[in-house]
Amino acid sequence: SGNRGMDRVNIAPIPLTSKLAEWYARISDFALWSYFTLPYGMQALAKYVREADGKKPVFELIEKKFAGGLNTGLQIKTEGLYDPIYRNRVFKGSAHQKDNAYNLMYPATGKRSILSGSVTEIFNREFGSVSGLDPDYIVPLERYDFTGYGANVFSHWVNENAALAQTSQAMFDVWRGRTAHEVIQVKSVLYPWGIRVVRTITIYRGSNSFEWRVDSGWKAESNGIYDFRTPIKPDPSDSPALKAAKIDETKHTYKFHPGMVEGVYNVHNIKEDNTLAPFTIKTWHKDYGVYIDNFGHPREVGASGQDLEVKLVPVYFDADVEIEDIVQGGFAVPDKPNKRVSSQRMLGYLQMSPKGVFIDQEQFANLLTMMHGLGGPVDCTLNINNSRQMMRISRVEVNPGAVDAAGNRLFIAAAKGTPVLPKDGSWSVVQHNAISKEVTPLIHNDVIPLIRQGERKFTDPKTLDYNLSPPNPVFIAEASELFNDLEDRAKQYCFLQSTGENKVLFRNPVFKKNLAKLKGSIPDLADAYRLMNSKGIFPNVENLPKLDQIGDDPSKFGLQIIDEGYKLLHNTDVAKKLKQLLPPGPWYIVKTDAVKVYVEYKPTKPDPSVVLPGDALLDFDIDSQANKWVNKMNDVTMVVDLGKMERLILIRGKFDTKKGSSPAFIEPVMEFGEKLKPVVDILVLLSEIAIDPSYANILKNGLKIAMSNSPNNWEYKFQADKEIPLVKFPPPLLDTAAAPLRLEAGLKAGVYFNVAIPLPPAGGFPVPSAGAFLEFYGKLSVMCVSVGVGTLYAVGQVTLRLSADTVTGPGLYMKFGFGVEAVVALPVVGSVSVYLAAGVEMNLDSTQITVAAFVLFKGRAEILGGIVTVTIQIEASGKVQERLGSGSGASTTMIAQVTFSLDISICFIINISFSESWEEQRQIA
């Protein structure tokens, strides 16, 4: 000391060791530390100090003297204190397995632990920090003897309570620094099935002095029967606070509803997989129950909570899955009511931390959500709940369910697959979104889940015995919807039967135990009219007619499940047939200010106060055994309002769809409303005057209907129009060149849905539209002067079309002209006429306005009494067309157009038609 600073002093180890042993034995608060190694790259730090109860670890010298001055070598004996939790001796301090092994053949792989990655991580987390030694842990060691010739270690440390990410054995047999035997064993659990697993690393020295390492790999100690009961049990020596905390931990056991999947058995071939990301939470603030401290003791979580780290790593394994109601693809198990099916590469997660306690239920739910459920593939066929409904199962998995009234997260096991549906009637599985009301196909041909209520409860807390699931109904539903009422489920699976123009949706299928009936929500009916207004596989279910004659009531019908599919039968009277009364309506297909199209499910007339006798009935039947189905809809009426003209057009008829025949619109009738009655009456009167007997039939059968409703096509089209063909007065057989007056008239009306209409070039491609139209044509010729065989007529002609469309809006087309026609009747040659007219044409809607002036010349000659007819027509017009809109879509164009046509007809021999048009356009604005 002094000015020379600090001196370095050499210490003699033997006297110092003797002095340390003396001080440790004599001085009550004297503390010692030792830093030493354990076999194969393990470092340890041990602390020797008196505890609060007065006990302290053993630290003493062992030296034996014999006669003749022969003495043993100096040996330090150290022995840990007994720990009632571990029921074994331990040292306070820490132990750490280092990464000190190299692969000489593959040096690029770097250093690794001889204990393997997961065993090393669990060992280091439990007995020291992962990165190195930490003195606030324990050393899993009973005794360690230090000698000048190398350590002697005979320690068989066992933790009987180890269960979750904990070391259950640490065994070391070392002779004078040479390891004879080492065993490190760790235990954990596999989510989501609750499979207890163990892994053992054994290193021993053979008789030839070589060292051998044996890795057992992860081995299952239990079956996966959803057993997540905490391994922490109350003890009589616990303080009241610790006992209450352990009871609180017990209350947080996960609540499972296994449904059809009883569990997984014979778990084997467990392999960790580093290609998938682990599930980690750096800081879990645990605010209930207990946790395991650094010394391995359960401690109550205080009011401020406890921060823990969560880490789970992915593993694949093989197992036998026990599923109820297997009829094909499974194998029987002695003394078990159910069969099992093998599964390979099931995915689970292995708990690496925290030690001793399960992660909380929300973390578990987040893991399942992140992985979209955990489970694996299977291959078998089920008879669902012994209902005769078959389903091919391709996967089993566990998903998070809803939260119950007590705030507990539920976990639901599901068997997923594809139901066996009848081939007839185009059956398929779809999904319904209760929020948007839309029905869509399954995404990527997804399999659908089978779930059932029934919590797994272990009746004996000391054993793995558990109650079987009760015989509750089985649902086809998502795990999150298990406890929701059928109509309250956000995502609803459905069976869809497509029968041409009509479809029936069976939502939320339910299968009761030993009952061969398809239960669920009341089926929804989409008739052809509603399909016309749908862009998807099925219309929005809101306001659709319900087949409420199908239900559980004895007075109603039920859908029986038979081997071939389904059969619709009355619940008490098998001879009775279903006839469903439909709601009267109206139901709007199109509803705008300009046009309205709606359906009335009743036989009506243009006057709404006149209702025809009878009801609108649906004749519905399914019989897969007889390979037939029927879907008939009687007495439905489509009504069209065009602007202020209400009930302008009515189309009445029946839809008929059945097995073996194409869908058909039976006996359609189009009627005109009261607004058109005067026009129609005049045309009908003129037609009755005509002597052509076929004209009346043409008038009666003038309705044309085109539709393309197919179960394989989601774009439903409908078009109907009726034309009163051109009426001529006087009739052609009575017409002469000197007739004082000639009248031509015609009427056409129609409605259409999803029919592509052409748009102007600036508007893009044709788009589907819906609308209605009314068109009238008239021509009047009045004799002005007659000289000999020639007659001069003044002629007026008009075409008027009123329309409304969901794309172009209201529209008006009008073409009218005035002219003069000269008709000459020549002997032998026949009748010759020349017609010259000028007029105006207008066409306007919400997209454009077109105004045109035209000149028309038409010459016609009938030779040899009409055997030969020659017609020449020339029409020239000039148009100004304005495209409405803003930006590049707006324009004004001048159009000049000339059309020349020639038609030559020789009766029964030849018919030559020729037409040529010329058009020139110039944009002027």
Side-chain angles (χ1 to χ4, degrees):
S1 60
N3 294 330
R4 294 180 301 172
M6 181 176 290
D7 293 334
R8 179 175 295 174
V9 179
N10 294 324
I11 298 176
I14 295 178
L16 178 60
T17 302
S18 299
K19 203 63 178 176
L20 289 175
E22 176 193 343
W23 289 340
Y24 184 73
R26 180 170 53 85
I27 303 173
S28 61
D29 58 350
F30 188 80
L32 292 174
W33 292 88
S34 64
Y35 180 67
F36 55 93
T37 62
L38 288 167
Y40 303 106
M42 193 177 292
Q43 295 176 318
L45 181 68
K47 182 180 180 181
Y48 311 89
V49 66
R50 187 183 300 275
E51 300 293 330
D53 58 0
K55 298 179 181 179
K56 61 180 180 179
V58 173
F59 182 92
E60 61 182 31
L61 298 179
I62 299 177
E63 185 178 16
K64 185 67 175 178
K65 295 182 179 181
F66 299 95
L70 184 64
N71 300 332
T72 62
L74 185 63
Q75 179 173 322
I76 303 173
K77 173 188 175 182
T78 64
E79 192 174 63
L81 285 176
Y82 180 80
D83 190 300
I85 300 298
Y86 291 113
R87 298 181 184 179
N88 216 326
R89 293 184 179 275
V90 296
F91 291 95
K92 292 215 176 150
S94 64
H96 180 80
Q97 173 67 49
K98 297 188 69 176
D99 295 334
N100 65 338
Y102 290 84
N103 190 325
L104 297 179
M105 296 182 63
Y106 303 99
T109 58
K111 296 186 296 184
R112 62 183 66 184
S113 166
I114 198 169
L115 295 182
S116 83
S118 57
V119 176
T120 301
E121 185 171 345
I122 291 175
F123 184 90
N124 287 346
R125 285 182 182 274
E126 185 173 9
F127 301 119
S129 63
V130 176
S131 59
L133 294 172
D134 190 323
D136 295 326
Y137 289 83
I138 66 167
V139 184
L141 192 66
E142 296 180 295
R143 175 174 172 170
Y144 194 100
D145 291 355
F146 300 88
T147 76
Y149 305 99
N152 292 320
V153 185
F154 301 99
S155 175
H156 292 185
W157 183 89
V158 176
N159 179 9
E160 297 177 353
N161 298 319
L164 308 175
Q166 293 171 290
T167 304
S168 56
Q169 286 190 55
M171 181 184 299
F172 304 101
D173 287 340
V174 182
W175 297 75
R176 287 177 294 182
R178 290 174 65 82
T179 304
H181 196 196
E182 176 185 352
V183 176
I184 301 295
Q185 185 182 81
V186 296
K187 292 187 176 183
S188 194
V189 64
L190 283 184
Y191 295 82
W193 308 99
I195 306 167
R196 303 303 198 275
V197 294
V198 60
R199 185 172 182 177
T200 306
I201 306 294
T202 303
I203 305 173
Y204 64 93
R205 189 179 301 277
S207 58
N208 57 359
S209 189
F210 286 140
E211 298 162 314
W212 304 90
R213 177 185 180 275
V214 178
D215 185 351
S216 69
W218 289 106
K219 301 294 183 183
E221 288 191 304
S222 72
N223 296 315
I225 53 175
Y226 317 99
D227 180 17
F228 284 92
R229 290 175 291 174
T230 176
I232 300 174
K233 308 298 181 186
D235 190 272
S237 62
D238 291 339
S239 66
L242 181 56
K243 186 178 295 184
K246 288 183 176 180
I247 294 174
D248 189 24
E249 186 77 21
T250 304
K251 291 180 180 179
H252 283 80
T253 301
Y254 309 131
K255 295 184 180 297
F256 273 90
H257 291 259
M260 307 287 289
V261 187
E262 285 297 323
V264 296
Y265 298 80
N266 186 28
V267 178
H268 58 283
N269 198 24
I270 305 172
K271 303 291 184 182
E272 295 181 40
D273 188 286
N274 58 7
T275 61
L276 297 176
F279 178 77
T280 58
I281 300 175
K282 289 298 182 183
T283 303
W284 167 29
H285 191 71
K286 185 175 170 67
D287 57 2
Y288 66 86
V290 300
Y291 69 98
I292 305 300
D293 66 8
N294 292 344
F295 300 106
H297 298 164
R299 300 296 183 195
E300 63 270 18
V301 173
S304 60
Q306 179 66 34
D307 290 339
L308 302 174
E309 183 178 355
V310 174
K311 182 178 180 181
L312 283 74
V313 297
V315 297
Y316 284 101
F317 61 91
D318 301 337
D320 298 332
V321 185
E322 185 170 325
I323 309 176
E324 289 189 27
D325 303 326
I326 294 180
V327 294
Q328 185 178 352
F331 56 89
V333 181
D335 303 323
K336 295 288 288 185
N338 301 315
K339 292 184 179 181
R340 295 177 185 172
V341 60
S342 297
S343 176
Q344 294 183 331
R345 287 185 62 80
M346 300 191 79
L347 179 60
Y349 269 75
L350 173 72
Q351 181 169 324
M352 304 296 291
S353 65
K355 57 180 179 287
V357 295
F358 294 110
I359 63 177
D360 73 21
Q361 56 186 10
E362 288 307 314
Q363 293 169 352
F364 188 12
N366 290 339
L367 168 65
L368 295 174
T369 301
M370 179 185 75
M371 300 305 298
H372 302 286
L374 285 174
V378 295
D379 187 7
C380 61
T381 301
L382 305 187
N383 177 3
I384 304 176
N385 231 358
N386 198 31
S387 65
R388 302 182 73 180
Q389 174 64 60
M390 300 299 171
M391 183 167 176
R392 297 186 183 96
I393 303 300
S394 58
R395 179 175 174 81
V396 294
E397 67 180 30
V398 176
N399 288 279
V403 177
D404 64 14
N408 297 306
R409 171 70 66 178
L410 304 179
F411 297 92
I412 315 300
K416 290 189 167 184
T418 304
V420 179
L421 297 174
K423 295 181 180 180
D424 65 293
S426 299
W427 290 84
S428 59
V429 181
V430 296
Q431 57 189 1
H432 168 238
N433 188 315
I435 298 176
S436 66
K437 308 299 182 183
E438 293 182 347
V439 178
T440 57
L442 298 183
I443 301 175
H444 306 305
N445 295 320
D446 281 351
V447 291
I448 59 177
L450 288 178
I451 58 175
R452 180 177 60 193
Q453 297 180 14
E455 183 182 347
R456 172 61 49 83
K457 294 182 179 179
F458 295 90
T459 56
D460 186 348
K462 296 181 181 179
T463 69
L464 294 180
D465 294 335
Y466 55 88
N467 70 311
L468 296 176
S469 298
N472 289 332
V474 174
F475 302 98
I476 295 181
E478 291 294 320
S480 58
E481 309 284 358
L482 179 58
F483 286 89
N484 293 339
D485 292 336
L486 298 184
E487 299 303 322
D488 295 335
R489 293 175 178 171
K491 182 178 180 180
Q492 303 174 2
Y493 289 101
C494 325
F495 291 171
L496 175 64
Q497 187 200 24
S498 301
T499 58
E501 266 64 33
N502 297 333
K503 294 186 178 183
V504 181
L505 190 69
F506 298 87
R507 292 182 291 117
N508 302 306
V510 180
F511 306 96
K512 295 185 177 180
K513 188 70 173 179
N514 301 323
L515 181 63
K517 282 189 178 182
L518 177 62
K519 301 289 186 178
S521 299
I522 298 176
D524 304 283
L525 172 67
D527 57 78
Y529 288 127
R530 283 172 166 81
L531 291 176
M532 294 170 196
N533 205 32
S534 170
K535 298 298 182 183
I537 193 171
F538 195 83
N540 188 309
V541 300
E542 193 172 20
N543 299 323
L544 284 182
K546 303 289 185 181
L547 295 181
D548 53 14
Q549 291 301 310
I550 300 177
D552 293 334
D553 193 311
S555 64
K556 296 184 177 181
F557 290 79
L559 201 59
Q560 304 289 329
I561 304 175
I562 59 178
D563 292 339
E564 296 80 3
Y566 305 109
K567 186 173 184 178
L568 187 67
L569 289 174
H570 193 271
N571 290 330
T572 56
D573 185 0
V574 296
K576 194 172 183 179
K577 298 298 182 182
L578 186 148
K579 292 192 179 295
Q580 172 81 46
L581 183 63
L582 298 175
W587 184 82
Y588 284 89
I589 301 174
V590 179
K591 190 175 184 180
T592 66
D593 293 339
V595 61
K596 297 180 180 64
V597 182
Y598 49 94
V599 175
E600 295 175 344
Y601 292 91
K602 55 185 178 180
T604 60
K605 297 293 284 182
D607 184 353
S609 63
V610 179
V611 179
L612 300 178
D615 296 317
L617 294 175
L618 173 70
D619 185 359
F620 183 72
D621 189 22
I622 297 175
D623 189 348
S624 299
Q625 186 176 26
N627 195 25
K628 71 175 184 179
W629 46 262
V630 175
N631 196 332
K632 298 180 180 179
M633 186 176 297
N634 299 326
D635 299 321
V636 288
T637 304
M638 180 187 295
V639 184
V640 180
D641 296 350
L642 191 59
K644 296 296 184 179
M645 295 183 288
E646 298 181 352
R647 305 182 73 81
L648 186 67
I649 305 170
L650 284 83
I651 304 174
R652 293 189 290 111
K654 306 173 182 179
F655 279 117
D656 190 351
T657 309
K658 62 183 178 180
K659 176 70 176 180
S661 63
S662 300
F665 195 71
I666 307 299
E667 300 176 359
V669 176
M670 178 182 283
E671 296 184 351
F672 297 104
E674 293 296 316
K675 301 290 185 181
L676 292 178
K677 189 174 186 304
V679 178
V680 175
D681 288 346
I682 293 173
L683 295 177
V684 171
L685 175 62
L686 292 176
S687 67
E688 290 176 350
I689 296 175
I691 62 174
D692 185 355
S694 64
Y695 192 88
N697 293 327
I698 295 175
L699 180 63
K700 180 179 179 181
N701 300 324
L703 177 60
K704 298 178 182 179
I705 292 181
M707 56 201 324
S708 64
N709 296 5
S710 169
N712 301 319
N713 180 15
W714 303 346
E715 186 75 20
Y716 292 86
K717 296 178 173 62
F718 178 90
Q719 185 171 1
D721 58 75
K722 182 172 182 178
E723 180 179 4
I724 297 180
L726 188 65
V727 177
K728 294 184 178 181
F729 183 84
L733 295 179
L734 300 180
D735 193 12
T736 66
L741 180 142
R742 290 191 178 93
L743 175 64
E744 296 180 4
L747 182 67
K748 185 177 181 180
V751 62
Y752 53 91
F753 309 97
N754 294 336
V755 177
I757 64 169
L759 291 178
F765 295 102
V767 295
S769 176
F773 66 89
L774 173 66
E775 182 176 309
F776 173 78
Y777 167 78
K779 180 180 178 182
L780 179 64
S781 301
V782 179
M783 179 188 295
C784 294
V785 60
S786 177
V787 179
V789 295
T791 306
L792 194 64
Y793 290 92
V795 181
Q797 180 177 339
V798 63
T799 300
L800 179 65
R801 180 184 176 96
L802 301 175
S803 64
D805 191 275
T806 55
V807 174
T808 60
L812 169 67
Y813 173 81
M814 182 170 62
K815 182 178 182 180
F816 60 92
F818 302 95
V820 60
E821 182 179 17
V823 180
V824 179
L826 301 175
V828 182
V829 174
S831 176
V832 177
S833 65
V834 177
Y835 173 52
L836 180 64
V840 177
E841 181 180 1
M842 299 176 59
N843 186 8
L844 59 91
D845 55 43
S846 62
T847 64
Q848 57 84 38
I849 298 175
T850 302
V851 179
F854 67 89
V855 176
L856 173 65
F857 170 80
K858 182 177 181 181
R860 176 184 174 87
E862 294 182 356
I863 304 173
L864 301 177
I867 296 178
V868 179
T869 303
V870 179
T871 303
I872 300 174
Q873 180 171 311
I874 301 175
E875 183 175 0
S877 64
K879 300 180 181 179
V880 178
Q881 184 180 65
E882 182 178 358
R883 303 290 185 190
L884 305 178
S886 58
S888 60
S891 65
T892 301
T893 305
M894 289 289 294
I895 304 172
Q897 187 178 51
V898 176
T899 301
F900 171 79
S901 62
L902 172 65
D903 184 83
I904 301 174
S905 176
I906 302 176
C907 185
F908 305 117
I909 298 177
I910 194 171
N911 190 355
I912 299 175
S913 295
F914 171 79
S915 178
E916 185 69 29
S917 295
W918 172 84
E919 181 178 300
E920 184 71 19
Q921 296 188 17
R922 289 288 186 271
Q923 183 172 329
I924 61 174

